[in-house]
Amino acid sequence: MTREYRPPRRTLRACAPGAGGARRSLACVAVLAVLSAAGCGPAIVAGSSATVVTSVVQERSTFEALSDTETALSIETRLGQHSGELYRDVAVDVVEGRVLLTGSVPRREDRIDAERVAWSGAGVRSLTNEITVADDAGVGAYWRDVRTSTAIRSALVLDGSVAARNINVETVEGVVHLTGLARSAGELERIVAHAQRADGARRVVSHVLLIDDPRRRLGDRQAASGETALR
């Protein structure tokens, strides 16, 4: 069965309204220009450009942010080399070497392959696999997820008590995944509350760590187990 075309999640996430400032807009123009100028070849480039834009969390040092960008690019490149479908369907977020995989794939084997490939990326300290296995819900469901993520990002930007630049948002089939760093428990509560209130959010899963969380300094290559499911 032929699956409907959907642009990679990471490209649209980076270009969504409320997802960044002028530099992001320029990066999105570059991404769209590459996509329109060639065929399948530049797919890795498009993903890479979006990753560079979305991976910088301000509470980290510049070196840490660049290292996370390199890790994400390494994983995305390996996903693309393994399977064009995995590259398209799996989104990669990296914060201080902690990798979060989200998306929806048609087969359980694809989920396993994505995790195996991700572990081969450079700089991976821990990995959380939140990829779901389900029939392709189609373009309509995909765009509903995009709208949900965009609404959450916009709410975070408008909330003066939240450093929206520190939080990444990814929605898959109505399940909202939050990654990044929070400056306090109160800020984290506000972030989660905004996500819970968003139209289309069926459930919220927070992978956000506080800036003083001891897990930020752990270097073990082990599966992350500290995520909190809410709602």
Side-chain angles (χ1 to χ4, degrees):
M1 178 179 65
T2 301
R3 302 179 70 191
E4 297 176 275
Y5 171 75
R6 295 177 301 176
R9 283 183 176 271
R10 59 187 70 85
T11 302
L12 291 174
R13 177 180 56 196
C15 296
R23 287 186 296 174
R24 173 159 298 179
S25 299
L26 292 174
C28 292
V29 171
V31 170
L32 296 176
V34 171
L35 288 173
S36 61
C40 60
I44 298 297
V45 176
S48 301
S49 299
T51 301
V52 169
V53 175
T54 60
S55 65
V56 178
V57 177
Q58 297 301 319
E59 296 298 334
R60 294 174 289 167
S61 68
T62 300
F63 176 78
E64 288 172 329
L66 290 175
S67 296
D68 286 344
T69 298
E70 292 175 356
T71 298
L73 293 180
S74 174
I75 294 171
E76 290 176 357
T77 298
R78 284 167 167 77
L79 288 173
Q81 292 171 341
H82 181 81
S83 165
E85 285 191 354
L86 279 186
Y87 176 81
R88 183 195 68 181
D89 293 340
V90 176
V92 181
D93 282 311
V94 184
V95 178
E96 295 177 335
R98 299 187 306 278
V99 178
L100 171 66
L101 302 179
T102 57
S104 180
V105 294
R107 298 172 296 272
R108 181 175 178 81
E109 291 79 6
D110 296 328
R111 185 180 189 275
I112 296 171
D113 284 346
E115 180 169 336
R116 177 178 57 78
V117 171
W119 270 120
S120 70
V124 179
R125 293 168 51 186
S126 66
L127 187 147
T128 301
N129 187 349
E130 293 286 357
I131 299 171
T132 60
V133 180
D135 293 333
D136 192 357
V139 173
Y142 174 72
W143 282 108
R144 284 193 294 273
D145 287 342
V146 171
R147 287 194 295 270
T148 298
S149 294
T150 300
I152 295 170
R153 294 190 193 100
S154 297
L156 295 178
V157 169
L158 293 173
D159 187 337
S161 299
V162 171
R165 65 186 180 273
N166 294 331
I167 305 299
N168 294 329
V169 182
E170 181 70 28
T171 306
V172 181
E173 298 180 356
V175 179
V176 179
H177 295 274
L178 304 172
T179 57
L181 298 173
R183 298 168 298 177
S184 67
E187 183 184 43
L188 178 55
E189 290 179 2
R190 295 182 70 88
I191 292 167
V192 171
H194 282 302
Q196 290 176 323
R197 288 194 294 265
D199 185 36
R202 296 190 297 105
R203 187 164 65 94
V204 177
V205 181
S206 174
H207 307 269
V208 178
L209 295 182
L210 298 179
I211 59 173
D212 57 354
D213 192 306
R215 285 173 292 176
R216 294 186 64 200
R217 303 305 169 198
L218 294 178
D220 301 339
R221 284 175 59 95
Q222 60 185 11
S225 58
E227 60 272 11
T228 303
L230 302 111
R231 193 175 174 183

